[in-house]
Amino acid sequence: MSFSFTDPKPNRDDRSFSFTGPNTADVEQQLQTITDMANEILRLVADVRRQISN
């Protein structure tokens, strides 16, 4: 999972995006990608916290 505010090199991860790359018109998809990444991060943090507290 990766993102860039400049034109990124091609990435095989379908969750990568750029605000200045060739797909700038698809802002809604980029925002959904950010949301998905944030939810995944929060899920992983919760998993780590559970492991630490056990």
Side-chain angles (χ1 to χ4, degrees):
M1 134 180 24
S2 66
F3 66 93
S4 174
F5 290 99
T6 61
D7 193 13
K9 293 181 180 176
N11 189 322
R12 294 181 184 183
D13 188 337
D14 64 343
R15 296 179 293 178
S16 66
F17 62 91
S18 169
F19 287 108
T20 61
N23 298 322
T24 55
D26 197 1
V27 174
E28 286 299 320
Q29 180 60 41
Q30 291 176 345
L31 293 174
Q32 185 60 52
T33 300
I34 293 169
T35 301
D36 293 344
M37 288 177 174
N39 286 330
E40 179 69 6
I41 291 167
L42 292 173
R43 185 189 69 76
L44 292 170
V45 168
D47 287 347
V48 169
R49 286 183 175 165
R50 271 193 298 277
Q51 292 174 13
I52 291 171
S53 66
N54 288 337

